[in-house]
Amino acid sequence: MREADRRKQLAKRMKYAVCIGAGIVIGIIAGICIGIDYNKTTRSTPALYTEMEHGLELTPGELANLIYDNYWNYIKKSYIIVGDDKETAQLYKISSKVARHNYDLERFQLDDNGYMSYSDDKIKHAKLGIDVSSHQGSIDWETVKEAGIKFAMIRLGYRGYTQGGLALDDSYVTNIETALEAEMPVGVYFYTQAVSYDEGVEEAQYVLQNIADYKISYPVVIDTEKMEAEGARANDISNEERTDAIVGFCETIKDAGYTPMIYANRNWYAQNLDMDRLGDYQLWLAQYSNVPDFPYLFTGWQYTSEGSVPGISGSVDIDVWMK
């Protein structure tokens, strides 16, 4: 081949390489510049090109798909995606004010009993626990311990979803006293329907009154989630009001010398809370899967609601704790 021809061929190859690099950069810039409203906005995905020019040796659409994949890889690092269909998915900006986890997701492993484990250089053995309420009935805590359960989160009570009264879980006293008798470490959680900062404080004070006589070695948790009942008082409040209530609860618990924590599912954290205001508190994630898909640092992960543990009749929530 003549030298002139070689130079032309080399120039053509370099041009194609630059096109590919530029396409990838464009994909990144497109993700950065989309300016998504993290509260409500739904965005459609970019259109794909299906034809290539200049004789580049790629199948039709290959370069465009590379750009497209790069775009969504960026999106996953910067936004929580709600919805399985990319055409209609809602994107919520990940707060820069909340620490991100650095767990190695491949190290989450289920054994034959359905028990989750995790370990890495910093966490030698994550602890396995359960969370229980009156729904579990009578619990044989000695048998639960023998099964390898290291702690229990016990529902203390709840606020009514219509009139807003505060009440203890029917099995709270029995559960916490029998668990402690069996030397099972415990924490407690309270199901909130608070609609203001003051009601969050009120719930925390109620919790503090009812844990005063017990050894609480795990966090004191506010459980925030949707009540599946028409007209529930906290379902339609604003994110600001809901976050006010959670801050009121957590500040009061912290001031009393306990460790506050927030429990919610993945989408609820993204859609219904102002995470910018909650970076000082530990998170307990509810997501029923073999691998968590959640950017923020979480202390606890409730990975199933259908667990089976000796000593408990029927199903039970099982958690893995990273501290």
Side-chain angles (χ1 to χ4, degrees):
M1 182 182 293
R2 293 181 304 171
E3 182 64 21
D5 291 336
R6 288 196 184 95
R7 289 178 180 176
K8 288 181 180 180
Q9 188 67 21
L10 179 59
K12 186 181 292 185
R13 289 176 181 173
M14 291 178 66
K15 179 180 180 181
Y16 298 156
V18 169
C19 288
I20 292 174
I24 294 172
V25 171
I26 290 170
I28 295 173
I29 294 173
I32 296 172
C33 296
I34 57 177
I36 295 169
D37 177 354
Y38 70 92
N39 285 324
K40 296 288 185 182
T41 305
T42 300
R43 299 287 187 184
S44 60
T45 53
L48 295 184
Y49 296 98
T50 58
E51 295 182 1
M52 306 302 296
E53 299 178 356
H54 309 297
L56 189 62
E57 294 181 0
L58 292 173
T59 59
E62 202 166 42
L63 177 56
N65 285 333
L66 180 63
I67 297 170
Y68 183 72
D69 290 343
N70 186 72
Y71 166 81
W72 278 102
N73 284 336
Y74 166 78
I75 290 297
K76 291 178 181 178
K77 294 181 183 299
S78 300
Y79 297 86
I80 296 175
I81 303 172
V82 177
D84 296 327
D85 183 356
K86 290 181 180 179
E87 294 292 337
T88 59
Q90 295 180 335
L91 309 180
Y92 297 85
K93 190 74 172 71
I94 298 171
S95 173
S96 62
K97 298 180 180 180
V98 182
R100 297 199 186 195
H101 76 76
N102 60 355
Y103 304 135
D104 182 349
L105 300 183
E106 293 184 357
R107 291 179 176 269
F108 286 103
Q109 299 290 331
L110 278 173
D111 66 19
D112 293 339
N113 294 317
Y115 293 167
M116 186 69 69
S117 65
Y118 181 90
S119 64
D120 61 23
D121 292 340
K122 295 182 179 179
I123 302 172
K124 296 305 180 184
H125 295 288
K127 293 183 178 180
L128 195 68
I130 56 175
D131 55 277
V132 299
S133 68
S134 57
H135 296 297
Q136 274 65 53
S138 179
I139 298 174
D140 182 342
W141 288 103
E142 291 292 348
T143 301
V144 169
K145 282 181 61 178
E146 291 172 2
I149 301 301
K150 302 300 184 182
F151 69 92
M153 301 299 294
I154 296 172
R155 185 167 84 153
L156 182 144
Y158 55 91
R159 183 187 287 275
Y161 67 88
T162 55
Q163 300 302 314
L166 305 180
L168 287 179
D169 182 277
D170 289 342
S171 298
Y172 167 64
V173 174
T174 298
N175 276 337
I176 196 167
E177 290 185 352
T178 54
L180 290 173
E181 285 173 4
E183 298 184 345
M184 174 70 74
V186 300
V188 299
Y189 68 97
F190 186 89
Y191 178 74
T192 182
Q193 281 284 294
V195 298
S196 67
Y197 180 92
D198 289 342
E199 285 196 352
V201 171
E202 181 187 22
E203 290 180 352
Q205 291 172 340
Y206 183 79
V207 169
L208 291 170
Q209 292 170 6
N210 285 283
I211 62 175
D213 295 333
Y214 303 114
K215 181 182 178 181
I216 306 298
S217 49
Y218 274 70
V220 176
V221 182
I222 183 167
D223 172 359
T224 173
E225 54 188 288
K226 184 176 182 178
M227 165 59 73
E228 297 298 335
E230 185 176 353
R233 68 199 307 269
N235 278 0
D236 297 321
I237 62 176
S238 68
N239 287 6
E240 181 180 6
E241 290 168 326
R242 184 175 293 107
T243 305
D244 284 345
I246 290 172
V247 170
F249 181 96
C250 290
E251 286 183 347
T252 306
I253 294 299
K254 183 177 181 179
D255 288 346
Y258 296 92
T259 300
M261 177 180 278
I262 304 161
Y263 167 96
N265 67 48
R266 173 189 182 273
N267 291 355
W268 193 263
Y269 279 118
Q271 295 177 296
N272 299 101
L273 300 176
D274 181 357
M275 294 303 298
D276 283 351
R277 298 173 57 196
L278 301 176
D280 291 338
Y281 306 114
Q282 294 186 32
L283 306 181
W284 179 7
L285 170 67
Q287 186 179 21
Y288 304 145
S289 61
N290 290 341
V291 178
D293 176 19
F294 189 66
Y296 300 121
L297 177 65
F298 56 91
T299 299
W301 173 30
Q302 184 189 83
Y303 65 88
T304 182
S305 62
E306 299 180 349
S308 178
V309 174
I312 298 177
S313 299
S315 61
V316 64
D317 300 335
I318 306 183
D319 309 272
V320 61
W321 223 252
M322 312 307 287
K323 285 189 176 182

